[in-house]
Amino acid sequence: MTTHPPAAAVVDAPSSPSPSPSMRRLFGMIVPLNAAIYLIIGAVPGILLPLQVQEIDRAGKAAALALITGIGAFAAMIASPVAGLLSDRTRSRFGRRTPWIAGGSLALALSLAVMGLAKSVPQLIVAWVVVQIVLNFVISPVTALLPDRVPAARRGSFATVAGVSMMLGIVSGQAAGAALSGQGLFAYAGLSAVLLIAVLAFVLVCPDTPSTGQVNEPFDLKVFLRTFWVSPRRHPDFFWGFLARLALFTGYFVVTGYQLFILQDYVGLKDDAVDLVPLLGGINLVALVITTSFSGPLSDRIGRRKPFVIASSVVMGIGMAVPFAVPTVTGMIVYTVVAGLGFGMYSAVDAALMSEVLPGESSYAKDLGVLNIAATLPQTIGPFLGGAIVTLAGYPALFPVALLLAVAGALAIIPIRSVK
């Protein structure tokens, strides 16, 4: 929807022997930025939101959580490509991405404060919907930094750094959520403060290129609405990448969306489950770092992405089978290690692979926003599917379904032809 040279073309040529100073700053500052964003994602939906729901409706907590997260994720699914489109078309002296990253973060801080004051399920639904919308107005332009500013030869390495910082944020968020459980508004205010500091540092150290001279094509609503449909005929590789991510993330959220309740009711830890969540998160981070540390750079070196993504999906599927057979704390620890190894490999390479199947250079954020539907739509499907599974067959049935979806994600990678 825009006509301008891609930023990566002027940042650092793929053949350059060493990264430019701006590239080194970008690699360094994406760590606190991503960590601060995913600190919120680890703390709120993983700990603080389920505890709020449990405090409001202990007997119906599973169904209530499914309703809240499902509606919120549907809002995020719509917001993600809209945020990407607006970011792609933004003309300002601060660039295309910076206004949305900064403004979205401020709106997110305010909406989290409102969420901390919610006292009923309807209030939580409204607050969580707003949080999900403004969160995507931060995530979509941040996601576009990879194709915008990073040359193809270094995208695997950048995805590795971004993936590790993402998981660091999630694990730290789980620990913070457990430590701040019961603190209400104070917990949300603390998370917001960390985000605002990280965003301020990023936009000052890594300024975007001014986009005041950018020429945008006339907006066509029909064309934009068609972007929600990924055509297997016109863009087959983009379609298969979308489908693979959709399947894998649906399997992931079927389980992780109920992790706290699984520990409470399936493993039998009751109220002690809150203390185990950050411990499992730390174990997951260690496992993730092991595979992330070499997967992204190695995929850059050998010029292959697909084997890593396929292998990671299969490993994650194997991990999901463990708690089904061993419904204990030990089983959950083994699951966490195995799934962490798989997800580490996946997060290090998937972003680089997806950036290479995008339909056009002039609409990176919008197209990535569409791809992000494959990550946000499962947050709608997962809780509703998970809630139905728990209601009909109990918690054990969650794991075989998640395994099958992970394997389906691996199989969907195979038909991609433009990436090895």
Side-chain angles (χ1 to χ4, degrees):
M1 303 292 284
T2 59
T3 56
H4 67 284
V10 296
V11 172
D12 190 30
S15 59
S16 59
S18 61
S20 64
S22 63
M23 184 63 57
R24 288 194 293 268
R25 289 196 298 270
L26 183 64
F27 267 69
M29 293 306 297
I30 194 64
V31 174
L33 178 64
N34 248 11
I37 293 171
Y38 286 91
L39 179 78
I40 293 171
I41 294 174
V44 179
I47 299 283
L48 298 179
L49 176 58
L51 289 178
Q52 271 188 286
V53 172
Q54 182 172 271
E55 184 178 349
I56 293 169
D57 184 8
R58 181 175 290 269
K61 62 183 182 181
L65 182 63
L67 180 64
I68 294 167
T69 55
I71 295 174
F74 179 79
M77 179 189 71
I78 302 300
S80 182
V82 172
L85 173 70
L86 293 175
S87 174
D88 284 334
R89 297 174 64 85
T90 296
R91 291 179 290 198
S92 80
R93 65 189 184 94
F94 300 106
R96 296 189 297 166
R97 315 303 179 193
T98 297
W100 297 102
I101 295 174
S105 297
L106 181 59
L108 179 58
L110 294 174
S111 61
L112 284 172
V114 173
M115 186 171 173
L117 298 172
K119 300 298 182 182
S120 68
V121 170
Q123 290 176 354
L124 275 177
I125 290 174
V126 174
W128 185 238
V129 164
V130 175
V131 167
Q132 286 283 58
I133 291 172
V134 295
L135 179 62
N136 276 274
F137 273 83
V138 178
I139 290 178
S140 286
V142 169
T143 303
L145 294 173
L146 187 148
D148 263 0
R149 303 197 196 182
V150 183
R154 292 196 175 96
R155 288 179 184 174
S157 298
F158 186 83
T160 294
V161 174
V164 170
S165 59
M166 177 188 73
M167 287 306 301
L168 177 63
I170 290 175
V171 172
S172 300
Q174 291 171 342
L180 297 173
S181 60
Q183 298 299 312
L185 182 59
F186 177 77
Y188 290 107
L191 296 171
S192 298
V194 173
L195 174 67
L196 293 176
I197 292 171
V199 168
L200 178 62
F202 180 84
V203 298
L204 290 176
V205 176
C206 301
D208 201 355
T209 303
S211 59
T212 50
Q214 174 176 291
V215 178
N216 293 328
E217 296 177 2
F219 176 72
D220 188 326
L221 180 60
K222 291 182 179 180
V223 172
F224 173 69
L225 292 177
R226 282 200 295 268
T227 65
F228 285 88
W229 164 244
V230 182
S231 172
R233 181 180 61 83
R234 295 182 59 193
H235 307 293
D237 287 353
F238 189 71
F239 170 80
W240 286 113
F242 179 95
L243 193 62
R245 184 178 283 188
L246 178 67
L248 183 67
F249 273 73
T250 300
Y252 181 77
F253 282 106
V254 161
V255 175
T256 59
Y258 284 86
Q259 179 176 253
L260 181 60
F261 294 163
I262 288 171
L263 292 172
Q264 287 180 335
D265 303 331
Y266 178 57
V267 177
L269 295 181
K270 305 303 180 185
D271 292 339
D272 293 335
V274 173
D275 297 327
L276 185 60
V277 172
L279 175 61
L280 291 178
I283 294 171
N284 181 263
L285 178 62
V286 173
L288 181 144
V289 168
I290 291 173
T291 47
T292 301
S293 61
F294 69 83
S295 299
L298 183 59
S299 74
D300 283 342
R301 183 180 297 274
I302 67 176
R304 299 180 70 88
R305 314 289 192 196
K306 289 169 61 176
F308 292 91
V309 177
I310 293 171
S312 66
S313 301
V314 173
V315 171
M316 288 179 67
I318 293 172
M320 290 168 182
V322 176
F324 177 77
V326 187
T328 64
V329 171
T330 300
M332 289 300 295
I333 291 174
V334 174
Y335 153 75
T336 300
V337 171
V338 177
L341 292 172
F343 194 72
M345 186 183 303
Y346 181 87
S347 61
V349 180
D350 175 69
L353 184 148
M354 296 305 174
S355 73
E356 295 172 19
V357 298
L358 297 178
E361 293 180 343
S362 62
S363 55
Y364 280 144
K366 176 181 66 65
D367 293 332
L368 284 169
V370 174
L371 265 180
N372 282 342
I373 293 176
T376 56
L377 181 59
Q379 296 178 56
T380 302
I381 299 172
F384 281 117
L385 179 60
I389 292 170
V390 171
T391 301
L392 296 174
Y395 287 104
L398 290 173
F399 302 103
V401 172
L403 185 155
L404 292 174
L405 287 168
V407 173
L411 294 175
I413 291 292
I414 296 174
I416 294 178
R417 295 182 178 181
S418 63
V419 181
K420 295 181 179 180

